[in-house]
Amino acid sequence: MKPIAENRIEITRQLFDEGMRAVENKEYKKLALKVALAVLLITAAAAAYLLHTGGSLILLAGEGVFFAAMLVWVAFVLPKNKRKSSYQAMCRKSNGTLSRTICFYSDHMSILSGEEMMITIPYQDVLEWHETKHLWVLTCREKTGVLIKKDGFITGNADMVKAAMNHS
């Protein structure tokens, strides 16, 4: 069976990070924002109380710096470390071969690493389609993600792939 489209990608750390940022858990971001707002409200209430009672705001300023550092860590450092460890795990699992060819057929896609078949995904398992500057990122069942490089089509194009996915 001949594929309707083929896409080749060399998964660099930058492309991997771009794809991961596109699909990072929105609930995690919402939770971080809620925690930041709660800390801000508590700090404002404590500042108002200290001003009303004539207390010193120096202790509150120190706590504010601590909470700000904690929020930066939760919002930026943790996700970056997760992306880094996920990329390293993928490198180990792939024995350093990070080039992929995605062959799109009428009802499924097959992902190859070099000449070796890795996985076949039916189109009905594709849950979301995200677009970034250089990629389309497909989120599939079983927490599988597929990176498709926009300029990586060897044959066919993204419109043909989307049409096939919509018809299956």
Side-chain angles (χ1 to χ4, degrees), residues 100-113:
R100 304 283 188 268
T101 301
I102 303 102
C103 297
F104 299 94
Y105 298 93
S106 60
D107 62 345
H108 71 280
M109 68 181 119
S110 294
I111 302 167
L112 304 121
S113 175

Side-chain angles (χ1 to χ4, degrees), residues 76-101:
F76 299 104
V77 176
L78 279 179
K80 183 179 179 182
N81 287 342
K82 182 181 181 209
R83 288 191 302 269
K84 181 180 178 183
S85 64
S86 296
Y87 184 76
Q88 289 171 340
M90 184 176 71
C91 288
R92 282 190 302 274
K93 185 177 179 181
S94 298
N95 295 323
T97 306
L98 295 179
S99 70
R100 304 283 188 268
T101 301

